[in-house]
């Protein structure tokens, strides 16, 4: 090969190489952009999948109260088929949640209508305020039955459905009172302490079947039950309701009541696929 041919060959190789390099670069850059876009879309899809409760059947007790309504709305917004239960009220199944029969009836009702049960939110509650030595026996029995016996009966009745396949979720409404005491609330405090023991045992026993059981511990919320307590406190302390509210605000970290939507959002997370690794916990929502 003479010098002229060699020079021509070098020129052809150079021109061809730069053309190919430019072409390859454009292709790689485009692929990177597509890959980045695809990764973002996959991330968004994964987030949506973890947030969504599409195809899931949920049961919420205490569904007529302020917090219960908010939990129902949260789970429905996430796509769940939600069945509300309470002692009375419109648009919910009526059951006496203080009894074994009432809890069995509500589980049977949901299974009969939906054919399955994936999420159980045990939120029914009640209150009575009185000094320990004057606390009525019947009120002790009633509060314990609604907030401790009832969740046990509900869990027992729902257990076969919740453990039929992995991914079952249970959330029980405890309270910041579950970690301490408060004067004149002996039955409420005792029930809220006891329900944490129930949650922890159920979490251990259900883990092998992919069931998670957790509790939430809301602080002071502006609900009907809370308003009743504020008025009772105001009478006892000879103060106005506004003065009692100001006192409660001063005792909270954020100086305010927790909104029911904040508590409901926590429930929504705990019953979602995102919370598959959270089990046997009690999450405090105290502002």
């Amino acid at each position: 090969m003479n010098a002229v041919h060699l020079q021509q060959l070098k020129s052809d190789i150079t021109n061809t190489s730069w053309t190919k390099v430019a072409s390859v670069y454009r292709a790689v850059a485009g692929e990177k952009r597509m890959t980045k876009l695809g990764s973002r879309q996959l991330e968004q899809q994964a987030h949506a999948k973890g947030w969504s409760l599409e195809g899931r059947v949920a049961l919420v007790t205490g569904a007529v109260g302020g917090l219960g309504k908010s939990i129902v709305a949260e789970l429905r917004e996430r796509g769940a088929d939600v069945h509300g239960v309470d002692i009375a009220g419109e648009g919910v199944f009526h059951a006496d949640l203080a009894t074994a029969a009432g809890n069995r009836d509500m589980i049977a009702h949901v299974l009969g209508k939906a054919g399955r049960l994936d999420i159980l939110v045990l939120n029914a509650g009640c209150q009575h305020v009185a000094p320990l030595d004057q606390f009525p026996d019947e009120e002790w029995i009633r509060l314990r039955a609604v907030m401790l016996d009832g969740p046990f009966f509900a869990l027992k009745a729902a257990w076969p459905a919740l453990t039929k396949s992995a991914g079952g979720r249970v959330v029980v409404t405890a309270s910041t009172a579950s970690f301490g005491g408060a004067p004149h609330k002996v039955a409420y405090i005792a029930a809220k302490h006891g329900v944490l023991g129930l949650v922890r045992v159920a979490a251990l026993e259900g883990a092998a079947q992919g069931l998670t059981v957790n509790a939430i511990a809301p602080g002071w919320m502006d609900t009907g039950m809370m308003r009743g307590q504020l008025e009772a406190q105001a009478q006892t302390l000879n103060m106005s309701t506004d003065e009692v509210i100001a006192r409660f605000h001063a005792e909270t970290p954020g100086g305010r009541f927790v909104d029911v939507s904040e508590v409901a959002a926590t429930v929504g997370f705990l019953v979602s696929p995102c919370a598959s690794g959270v089990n046997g916990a009690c999450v405090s929502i105290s502002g």
Side-chain angles (χ1 to χ4, degrees):
M1 181 179 289
N2 59 35
V4 175
H5 288 154
L6 182 60
Q7 185 63 35
Q8 183 63 45
L9 180 60
K10 287 181 178 180
S11 177
D12 291 344
I13 291 172
T14 300
N15 291 335
T16 301
S17 298
W18 280 113
T19 300
K20 286 184 176 180
V21 167
S23 177
V24 169
Y25 175 81
R26 284 193 296 271
V28 169
E31 187 176 343
K32 283 183 176 179
R33 283 195 298 272
M34 291 302 293
T35 300
K36 187 175 181 180
L37 179 60
S39 297
R40 191 180 301 120
Q41 288 174 336
L42 287 172
E43 183 179 346
Q44 290 171 346
Q45 289 171 0
H47 174 74
K49 186 177 180 181
W51 181 89
S52 174
L53 297 175
E54 289 284 347
R56 311 281 281 169
V57 176
L59 187 161
V60 179
T61 67
V64 171
L67 177 56
K69 285 181 179 177
S70 190
I71 293 171
V72 168
E74 173 74 21
L75 302 193
R76 282 182 176 155
E77 183 181 349
R78 290 171 177 255
D81 174 16
V82 186
H83 300 258
V85 178
D86 216 314
I87 191 70
E90 296 183 3
V92 297
F93 180 73
H94 295 164
D96 183 355
L97 300 178
T99 67
N103 281 278
R104 287 195 296 266
D105 287 348
M106 77 170 180
I107 300 299
H109 169 75
V110 174
L111 291 176
K113 289 195 69 174
R116 60 185 293 172
L117 178 62
D118 307 292
I119 297 166
L120 181 61
V121 181
L122 301 173
N123 173 65
C126 52
Q127 181 63 283
H128 185 85
V129 179
L132 189 150
D133 63 336
Q134 301 171 30
F135 206 93
D137 294 349
E138 61 273 16
E139 290 300 322
W140 169 270
I141 294 169
R142 181 176 72 94
L143 268 66
R144 189 205 66 208
V146 171
M147 294 182 288
L148 181 56
D149 297 349
F152 164 73
F153 293 136
L155 267 171
K156 183 179 179 181
W159 198 261
L162 292 170
T163 57
K164 188 173 182 179
S165 59
R169 298 283 187 271
V170 177
V171 175
V172 181
T173 299
S175 168
T176 51
S178 298
F179 311 116
H184 302 170
K185 296 182 181 179
V186 62
Y188 183 86
I189 299 294
K192 292 301 185 181
H193 275 255
V195 83
L196 289 188
L198 174 64
V199 164
R200 288 161 181 156
V201 171
L204 291 171
E205 294 190 11
Q209 287 78 41
L211 173 68
T212 67
V213 185
N214 294 290
I216 54 167
W220 294 107
M221 299 177 290
D222 192 357
T223 62
M225 189 168 79
M226 172 63 181
R227 284 284 165 177
Q229 293 182 63
L230 291 173
E231 291 167 4
Q233 289 271 0
Q235 289 181 354
T236 301
L237 299 172
N238 196 26
M239 300 169 64
S240 70
T241 302
D242 287 342
E243 288 174 323
V244 174
I245 289 173
R247 174 180 288 192
F248 278 115
H249 283 178
E251 294 174 357
T252 61
R256 64 179 181 88
F257 289 151
V258 175
D259 193 86
V260 290
S261 65
E262 296 173 298
V263 181
T266 305
V267 174
F269 165 71
L270 289 173
V271 302
S272 74
C274 293
S276 59
V278 184
N279 194 25
C282 182
V283 181
S284 178
I285 311 108
S286 58

